[in-house]
Amino acid sequence: MGKAAVVILLKVLMILISTAWLSLWLLKPTNLWTRKWKAAESSARNTVFGYYGLDFTVYTFPVIAVAMIGLVYLNLQSWGQRNSRQIRSSTAAFSNPLVTSNLVGILSGVEILSVFLFILFLAWTFYTRISHDFTKLTPMESLKLDLWQLKFLRVATRFGLLAEACLAFLLLPILRELAVFRILGIQFEASVRYHIWLGTAMICFATFHGASTLFIWGVSHYIQDEITKWQRTGRIYLAGEITLVVGLVMWITSLPQIRRKRFEIFYYIHHLYIIFLVFFLLHAGDRHFYMIFAGVFLFCLDKLLRILQSWPQTHILSARLYPCKVVELILPKDTGLKYTPTSIIFMKIPSISRFQWHSFSITSSSTIDHHTMSVLVKCDGRWTTSLYDNIRAQLDSDADKMKSIPVAIEGPYGPSSLTFLRYDNLLLVAGGIGITPFLSILHEIAATQGNGSSRYRLPSRIQLIYVVKKSQYIGLLKSVSSLLQNHPSNKCHLKLKVFVTQEKQCGATLGEMLNEASQVQWVHFGLKGPIYSIHGPQSLYWTAALAGIASITFLVFLICFNHIFVPSGKNTSGHHSSKLAVSSKMKAPKENSPSWVADILIISSFIISLACPSLVAIVLRWRRLKKEEVPLVSSKEEKVQQLSSIETKGVVEEEHEVHFGGRPNLEDEFSKFLNETNGSDIGVLVSGPETMKEAVASLCQQKSGCFHIGNKEKKPYLSFHALTFTL
């Protein structure tokens, strides 16, 4: 009860902090907030805290606090979700697919509501600010602009603030260790699309903002004077144009047509975000930068922790070459590293590229494999083909000349709880290499059945629909052939339906296809010296502590630097009349110094704040590596023996189906499975092409009975989950 009470308390605390932070964005455009905030800043200037500390605490720290509390919450929450079943509720319908479209993908009710509220927030912000501007619009004596030009310039300025609002949320979806979205049950690979939506909206608003401003300066013949002016308010128009150009280049190279076919271009160009953020600070000034600083702060800290996590490099123990040009890589892992099924890792192979990282779904279970983890790689791109050719060259060389392949691993990252075990039944739909996350699920179920553990309640029935182009892909199921036997002692019943779309009926049985080991080739690499195992991320508690250390360090150094380098504004004559006091409030000391001074102080404090937790993380990493006693070369043979023992077992052919020459009729397959399960709650997981995901989502929307709450007859509830591991 004590731990459950703490979980509830942390959840309430996160809701309160998030509500307060979002309320700031709603109140900021109003005159009430302007008056109250100016008074608060004036009061803070006379304290050690300063207005700069107030801005950081109010605008930036709430998001950091939610991330820290969320990590503790996730660690505690994972303990309380082991024996519970998935509970059907009237609100569960909002998390299921509501819209399926080729343009926007699969959207749930929660996502549609969130997008609508965000658009409403942008409309409210724009309307409130522009209506206030138009009521107080006065001609500028220094610039002889017409009334329509002044109005258009104001509209352009307010569109820049809309871009700023999008930028404030832009980096939050792509956090990995400090993942804020994971608190909502959304994994990194699924939240990337929110980053894409926000980035597209930001670029649209920023383009209108920049182009319209240049248009006004152009028609009024002030463009040469204004574009290079360094204003005391912090706005530098040239820096803004550089920010816009860099943002446009990043957005264009991230379009699917370029990202999927020329991933290297997308990956390298996207690192221009450093230039983008620095010039945004120079253009918008420190006050506006604090509004978006939370995402920047967490992202950079997250990036540093991930860099340290991937050091030092490990090596591939062995590889398995399938005839369908798929490679299984066996990697060493620390015995204490535990991860949930459907987790992903990010891999970098310096011999192929020193900078590129690629994501892969883990196919093994940490419950079974204590010393190793495995991933399947489909070799159809430039990077993956280079990997395949490298391993193939090692296979063709002499055994004594085989060289180990060093790799850097980041992760694993995955769900905080075993959600798929909480359903009465499971329906798995996979296409091609999309089988990989389901292999980890099946391995976890096999491990739970094998050790007789009662800590998890397994689904009573599982059906796997596997769609492939060639029958060679069936060999990828070899490692789970023990589950396909369906022994009476098994707690869950697994039925496999394979659909081979581009081949005609062949005489081979499913068992023969699975046991056709002569076409699978093993490569055991020569390993010399110690091999560092994969330890994974720091514990959630330590990660939360590092975020706290970084934020406190930033605030302390920011306050110190401002008191040292920014004029204090004290009256040297010693007279403290009320007139001078009012004057000092109207013109603060900070405004007596150039705007670039505050920008430099923010950057300096930021660099120091990242260095301090990095040093702590290095010490923690060194201590974990020091505990590693002996090289894990022997684990390679252990993994081979496990796979060999699995492969020799037979398969009960009558339980499973193999169809050739066409795609499955998913509607018929869903109807049959619903009849077999008698209306119980079903978890539907799909991994594969986007068209397959959309088709499955549409069927879940049609056949799920979660909208028929008032109906006395029990309707099936199909809970949809799309698994993604390719970004």
Side-chain angles (χ1 to χ4, degrees):
M1 291 295 294
K3 190 170 290 187
V6 173
V7 169
I8 295 175
L9 180 62
L10 293 177
K11 191 173 184 178
V12 171
L13 185 59
M14 286 189 294
I15 293 174
L16 292 176
I17 295 176
S18 301
T19 303
W21 185 71
L22 293 174
S23 299
L24 295 180
W25 284 91
L26 293 174
L27 293 174
K28 197 172 185 295
T30 62
N31 292 328
L32 174 64
W33 174 260
T34 301
R35 293 194 303 269
K36 296 293 184 181
W37 185 247
K38 286 183 178 180
E41 282 190 335
S42 299
S43 302
R45 283 191 179 99
N46 300 324
T47 65
V48 175
F49 207 52
Y51 99 90
Y52 28 80
L54 181 66
D55 278 3
F56 175 80
T57 305
V58 174
Y59 289 133
T60 301
F61 187 73
V63 182
I64 302 175
V66 169
M68 294 165 52
I69 297 171
L71 293 174
V72 179
Y73 168 79
L74 288 174
N75 191 73
L76 295 176
Q77 185 193 39
S78 61
W79 291 91
Q81 295 184 344
R82 291 179 175 174
N83 291 314
S84 61
R85 282 291 193 194
Q86 186 74 12
I87 301 175
R88 183 196 303 209
S89 65
S90 58
T91 59
F94 290 101
S95 61
N96 248 14
L98 193 60
V99 174
T100 56
S101 169
N102 294 330
L103 181 62
V104 297
I106 304 168
L107 297 180
S108 65
V110 172
E111 290 173 322
I112 294 175
L113 179 62
S114 301
V115 171
F116 173 76
L117 291 177
F118 187 73
I119 294 175
L120 193 64
F121 156 71
L122 294 179
W124 152 259
T125 301
F126 179 78
Y127 172 77
T128 305
R129 290 188 180 278
I130 204 66
S131 59
H132 176 72
D133 290 343
F134 284 178
T135 55
K136 295 186 176 182
L137 192 64
T138 55
M140 302 173 66
E141 296 182 0
S142 58
L143 300 176
K144 297 180 180 180
L145 299 178
D146 297 334
L147 183 60
W148 74 269
Q149 293 174 339
L150 285 173
K151 288 185 176 182
F152 196 72
L153 187 60
R154 288 294 183 182
V155 170
T157 302
R158 297 314 176 191
F159 264 84
L161 294 180
L162 297 184
E164 176 187 296
C166 295
L167 182 57
F169 296 89
L170 179 65
L171 298 175
L172 298 179
I174 55 175
L175 300 176
R176 298 179 193 172
E177 289 202 34
L178 293 163
V180 178
F181 275 53
R182 191 167 40 159
I183 303 171
L184 305 175
I186 304 173
Q187 298 307 308
F188 166 78
E189 61 273 15
S191 62
V192 168
R193 67 172 176 173
Y194 307 133
H195 171 76
I196 296 173
W197 292 350
L198 288 168
T200 302
M202 180 196 71
I203 288 298
C204 291
F205 293 139
T207 301
F208 183 86
H209 165 69
S212 300
T213 303
L214 288 178
F215 171 74
I216 293 300
W217 296 142
V219 298
S220 59
H221 306 291
Y222 287 105
I223 189 169
Q224 293 182 349
D225 298 330
E226 295 294 329
I227 198 70
T228 57
K229 182 183 292 185
W230 194 297
Q231 301 186 16
R232 282 199 170 274
T233 58
R235 291 184 177 85
I236 308 167
Y237 292 114
L238 180 60
E241 297 305 320
I242 295 175
T243 304
L244 177 58
V245 171
V246 172
L248 282 171
V249 172
M250 293 172 61
W251 179 76
I252 292 172
T253 54
S254 66
L255 294 174
Q257 294 81 355
I258 299 178
R259 186 178 73 249
R260 294 173 183 173
K261 296 181 180 180
R262 294 289 186 271
F263 183 81
E264 296 85 357
I265 296 177
F266 154 75
Y267 182 80
Y268 294 130
I269 294 296
H270 236 59
H271 282 79
L272 293 177
Y273 68 84
I274 300 174
I275 298 176
F276 177 89
L277 293 173
V278 170
F279 279 93
F280 175 83
L281 171 61
L282 296 175
H283 171 63
D286 57 329
R287 276 188 169 91
H288 287 275
F289 192 72
Y290 281 119
M291 301 298 295
I292 63 107
F293 189 48
V296 177
F297 189 90
L298 290 176
F299 175 78
C300 293
L301 179 60
D302 185 82
K303 185 78 171 178
L304 276 177
L305 293 179
R306 291 190 280 115
I307 291 174
L308 295 175
Q309 181 200 149
S310 61
W311 175 86
Q313 296 176 355
T314 184
H315 291 76
I316 300 175
L317 296 178
S318 56
R320 195 182 191 198
L321 298 175
Y322 288 88
C324 53
K325 208 175 181 182
V326 172
V327 179
E328 182 179 11
L329 304 179
I330 311 300
L331 303 168
K333 87 170 184 67
D334 184 70
T335 55
L337 175 59
K338 302 297 180 182
Y339 51 85
T340 51
T342 72
S343 296
I344 66 170
I345 62 171
F346 288 81
M347 181 187 301
K348 179 182 70 173
I349 301 181
S351 59
I352 299 176
S353 174
R354 298 182 61 86
F355 303 103
Q356 287 187 41
W357 292 84
H358 294 264
S359 59
F360 300 99
S361 180
I362 302 176
T363 59
S364 57
S365 169
S366 58
T367 307
I368 300 176
D369 301 319
H370 300 290
H371 299 290
T372 61
M373 69 167 57
S374 58
V375 295
L376 286 175
V377 181
K378 183 181 180 181
C379 304
D380 58 354
R382 183 178 302 178
W383 188 90
T384 53
T385 301
S386 299
L387 171 63
Y388 184 87
D389 294 339
N390 195 349
I391 296 175
R392 192 78 191 180
Q394 296 275 21
L395 182 64
D396 297 335
S397 63
D398 296 335
D400 297 335
K401 296 181 179 180
M402 284 190 179
K403 299 180 180 179
S404 60
I405 301 179
V407 294
I409 300 296
E410 180 191 314
Y413 305 112
S416 57
S417 62
L418 302 178
T419 307
F420 64 91
L421 290 177
R422 304 205 309 265
Y423 294 106
D424 297 330
N425 301 279
L426 277 179
L427 180 58
L428 312 178
V429 184
I433 198 63
I435 192 64
T436 50
F438 296 148
L439 292 178
S440 63
I441 292 177
L442 295 177
H443 281 144
E444 186 70 25
I445 292 175
T448 305
Q449 289 185 156
N451 58 25
S453 175
S454 60
R455 50 187 263 192
Y456 300 126
R457 298 179 61 183
L458 297 176
S460 58
R461 183 181 294 271
I462 302 174
Q463 180 165 304
L464 172 59
I465 300 175
Y466 188 29
V467 184
V468 295
K469 294 180 179 179
K470 304 290 184 180
S471 58
Q472 295 173 336
Y473 282 93
I474 299 178
L476 301 180
L477 299 172
K478 196 186 298 280
S479 61
V480 295
S481 58
S482 60
L483 265 181
L484 297 174
Q485 295 182 65
N486 288 323
H487 293 294
S489 59
N490 289 358
K491 297 179 182 179
C492 62
H493 180 272
L494 173 63
K495 184 173 183 179
L496 172 65
K497 292 186 177 182
V498 181
F499 293 84
V500 184
T501 61
Q502 296 184 2
E503 288 183 2
K504 295 183 179 180
Q505 184 75 37
C506 66
T509 63
L510 178 60
E512 292 172 346
M513 296 178 187
L514 289 173
N515 293 321
E516 206 171 302
S518 59
Q519 298 184 26
V520 179
Q521 297 173 302
W522 275 101
V523 181
H524 304 295
F525 297 101
L527 304 173
K528 297 180 181 179
I531 302 173
Y532 292 101
S533 57
I534 301 170
H535 288 78
Q538 289 288 347
S539 69
L540 297 180
Y541 290 140
W542 268 114
T543 305
L546 292 175
I549 293 173
S551 58
I552 294 174
T553 304
F554 174 82
L555 184 59
V556 169
F557 276 91
L558 182 67
I559 292 174
C560 293
F561 285 160
N562 273 275
H563 280 284
I564 294 173
F565 296 103
V566 177
S568 61
K570 293 180 180 180
N571 186 15
T572 56
S573 62
H575 299 287
H576 301 283
S577 63
S578 59
K579 184 176 181 180
L580 288 175
V582 173
S583 176
S584 65
K585 287 185 178 181
M586 293 178 62
K587 190 172 183 179
K590 187 260 179 186
E591 275 72 28
N592 293 331
S593 60
S595 60
W596 59 267
V597 173
D599 300 341
I600 296 298
L601 297 184
I602 289 177
I603 295 175
S604 303
S605 303
F606 181 51
I607 293 174
I608 295 174
S609 68
L610 293 180
C612 292
S614 297
L615 292 175
V616 177
I618 290 173
V619 173
L620 294 174
R621 183 70 174 171
W622 177 78
R623 291 180 60 184
R624 293 177 73 179
L625 294 175
K626 192 176 180 181
K627 293 179 181 179
E628 194 170 310
E629 298 177 354
V630 295
L632 299 176
V633 180
S634 60
S635 62
K636 175 181 67 178
E637 285 78 11
E638 175 187 343
K639 178 67 178 178
V640 174
Q641 292 175 2
Q642 290 177 356
L643 289 172
S644 300
S645 63
I646 292 174
E647 293 168 7
T648 57
K649 298 179 180 179
V651 177
V652 181
E653 301 293 340
E654 294 80 5
E655 296 290 335
H656 312 292
E657 303 174 9
V658 181
H659 304 273
F660 290 85
R663 300 179 181 274
N665 189 327
L666 291 177
E667 186 172 0
D668 290 344
E669 298 298 333
F670 270 59
S671 299
K672 292 177 183 178
F673 189 72
L674 290 176
N675 293 332
E676 294 173 359
T677 54
N678 297 321
S680 59
D681 293 342
I682 301 170
V684 180
L685 285 68
V686 57
S687 176
E690 292 300 321
T691 54
M692 175 182 285
K693 293 178 182 178
E694 293 171 6
V696 173
S698 179
L699 284 173
C700 290
Q701 180 183 352
Q702 295 173 13
K703 294 186 175 295
S704 181
C706 55
F707 288 101
H708 306 285
I709 306 300
N711 197 335
K712 295 182 180 180
E713 182 183 356
K714 186 178 181 181
K715 298 288 184 180
Y717 169 46
L718 281 74
S719 180
F720 174 83
H721 301 274
L723 304 180
T724 303
F725 57 92
T726 55
L727 306 178

